[in-house]
Amino acid sequence: MVLSKACTYGILASLYVTREANRSKGYVSIGRMSKELNISFHFLTKILQQLTSAGILSSMKGPKGGVALKRNPQEISLVDIVVAIDGMGLFTDCLLGLPGCGEEKPCPVHDEWAGIRADLFHTFRGKSLAETAKRIDELNLRFALPSESEEGGKSIRDFRNLL
Amino acid sequence: MVLSKACTYGILASLYVTREANRSKGYVSIGRMSKELNISFHFLTKILQQLTSAGILSSMKGPKGGVALKRNPQEISLVDIVVAIDGMGLFTDCLLGLPGCGEEKPCPVHDEWAGIRADLFHTFRGKSLAETAKRIDELNLRFALPSESEEGGKSIRDFRNLL
DNA sequence: TTGATTTAAGACTCTTCTATCTTAAATAGA
DNA sequence: TCTATTTAAGATAGAAGAGTCTTAAATCAA
Ligand code: SF4
Ligand code: SF4
């Protein structure tokens, strides 16, 4: 998997918080978020703690507590979330996992992977929480996991449109 | 990690076999290969078994036994190795891991990821074992893991050249 | 102040990936 | 045929990721 589950959930949760912030002031309840996104409450809590200690979210305990964006959602990019949870590895590691990766002694797929890797980085870096959340509303995109009942859907794995 | 360790090793081993095939006829010893690539013998054996049952390699037991390419190395692409070991997931799965991924109900990063995913596929698909092995010789590229002694090198993780 | 609510933190379980070890089967060569 | 060599196959173990559970600490409201 390219992104860890934790990272995926972190992105979805960040977008959720961004949208809620547009609707009402105050902190967003993790319990409510976990229900709406179909993510395990305790697992989600752990992930959000990472984002909190990374300075992306702030949190508050007690009734009316929860998490909130610490900075302006236009200034937070998806790469911030990814790095906070999965680290920079995706954007810096060798595709073949060879230590000492680099221009001096590249492996056979270096040039191509370096380009794709940079694409990935720039894609995530160019997407702020604010505009991504906005696009969700405009285009009615999905960003929650499927509920137990609609699990039947499975992934569409269409090999042909890649050719 | 984008590719599993097993898949990485499978690619390196395939390239090794391809190069050996240019030098001498017959089967390539897994024991010798594991030493030169610095990959655990038993683990490598298991991976090569996958490639054998996938029809990419043929194998022979006993003295002078080993593995050999079953088809012409110009007709085997890196995507064949990846798919045989890691499956098609990398080229078909959602980046966010949402089931039901697709055009009908895409997630917020669909368009970008679909493009990058396709790039990855075409890159691997466009690289045959033959030409990749050739490029290794021409450009003196690396394709083995570092030995225990040169482990010091570590990965170069230069954040800046991505910006 | 008291109690209900909510996040924080850490221990714990479960699964998957990585790697190792043992035994069996096949082959070449003496 | 007999023996050494080499891959095949399955059991086992270790590490990391994913997910759960319990207890503690902070906060609000009555
Ligand atoms: S392609 Fe470049 S970055 Fe990837 S493993 Fe090879 S040397 Fe490293
Ligand atoms: S970007 Fe497309 S492929 Fe990736 S998770 Fe979203 S819908 Fe699925």
Side-chain angles (χ1 to χ4, degrees):
Chain A
M1 212 165 344
V2 176
L3 299 180
S4 70
K5 286 268 186 197
C7 188
T8 294
Y9 296 169
I11 291 175
L12 299 178
S14 300
L15 291 171
Y16 182 93
V17 173
T18 303
R19 294 174 88 213
E20 289 301 307
N22 290 335
R23 299 218 176 85
S24 57
K25 283 296 170 194
Y27 293 94
V28 178
S29 155
I30 300 180
R32 189 158 159 256
M33 193 181 344
S34 77
K35 284 195 188 77
E36 298 208 11
L37 296 179
N38 289 300
I39 298 173
S40 147
F41 169 76
H42 289 101
F43 193 29
L44 181 57
T45 296
K46 264 172 121 71
I47 296 161
L48 294 175
Q49 282 170 21
Q50 290 185 264
L51 294 180
T52 299
S53 68
I56 295 170
L57 298 178
S58 57
S59 68
M60 175 64 81
K61 292 177 182 174
K64 300 205 169 178
V67 294
L69 293 176
K70 199 166 186 178
R71 293 179 276 145
N72 189 315
Q74 289 167 13
E75 292 165 7
I76 304 173
S77 75
L78 293 186
V79 90
D80 296 324
I81 314 293
V82 172
V83 169
I85 298 174
D86 278 354
M88 278 295 293
L90 175 60
F91 311 118
T92 57
D93 283 354
C94 287
L95 179 60
L96 296 186
L98 303 179
C101 149
E103 301 294 337
E104 330 85 48
K105 195 158 190 187
C107 83
V109 291
H110 176 86
D111 292 344
E112 291 80 0
W113 174 241
I116 290 172
R117 198 173 62 173
D119 279 352
L120 257 180
F121 184 80
H122 288 119
T123 293
F124 281 117
R125 192 153 172 275
K127 288 193 161 307
S128 72
L129 288 184
E131 57 189 280
T132 306
K134 193 177 161 200
R135 222 159 66 90
I136 289 174
D137 291 328
E138 288 172 354
L139 302 177
N140 192 26
L141 302 178
R142 82 182 297 165
F143 73 107
L145 299 187
S147 64
E148 196 78 16
S149 53
E150 56 178 328
E151 188 65 54
K154 293 289 180 186
S155 287
I156 294 171
R157 299 178 179 241
D158 198 334
F159 186 86
R160 290 162 302 177
N161 61 22
L162 288 171
L163 305 177
Chain B
M1 211 165 346
V2 176
L3 299 181
S4 70
K5 286 264 187 199
C7 187
T8 294
Y9 297 168
I11 291 175
L12 299 178
S14 301
L15 291 171
Y16 183 93
V17 173
T18 303
R19 295 174 87 215
E20 290 302 306
N22 291 335
R23 300 217 175 85
S24 59
K25 282 296 167 195
Y27 292 94
V28 177
S29 155
I30 300 178
R32 189 158 160 259
M33 192 181 347
S34 78
K35 285 195 188 75
E36 299 207 12
L37 296 179
N38 290 300
I39 299 173
S40 148
F41 169 75
H42 289 100
F43 193 31
L44 181 57
T45 296
K46 266 187 138 35
I47 296 161
L48 294 176
Q49 282 170 21
Q50 291 186 265
L51 295 180
T52 299
S53 69
I56 293 170
L57 299 178
S58 57
S59 69
M60 175 65 80
K61 292 177 183 175
K64 301 205 168 177
V67 294
L69 293 176
K70 199 165 187 180
R71 292 179 276 145
N72 188 315
Q74 290 167 10
E75 292 164 6
I76 304 173
S77 76
L78 293 186
V79 89
D80 295 326
I81 315 292
V82 172
V83 169
I85 297 174
D86 278 355
M88 279 295 294
L90 175 60
F91 310 117
T92 56
D93 283 354
C94 286
L95 179 61
L96 295 186
L98 304 178
C101 149
E103 300 295 337
E104 330 83 46
K105 195 156 190 188
C107 83
V109 291
H110 176 86
D111 292 343
E112 290 81 1
W113 173 241
I116 291 172
R117 199 172 63 172
D119 280 353
L120 257 180
F121 184 80
H122 288 119
T123 294
F124 280 117
R125 190 151 172 274
K127 289 194 162 307
S128 73
L129 288 183
E131 58 188 281
T132 306
K134 192 176 161 202
R135 222 158 68 90
I136 289 174
D137 291 328
E138 289 172 355
L139 302 177
N140 191 28
L141 302 178
R142 83 183 296 166
F143 72 108
L145 299 186
S147 65
E148 197 79 16
S149 54
E150 58 177 330
E151 187 66 54
K154 293 288 179 187
S155 287
I156 295 170
R157 299 176 178 243
D158 196 334
F159 186 83
R160 290 163 301 177
N161 61 22
L162 288 170
L163 305 178

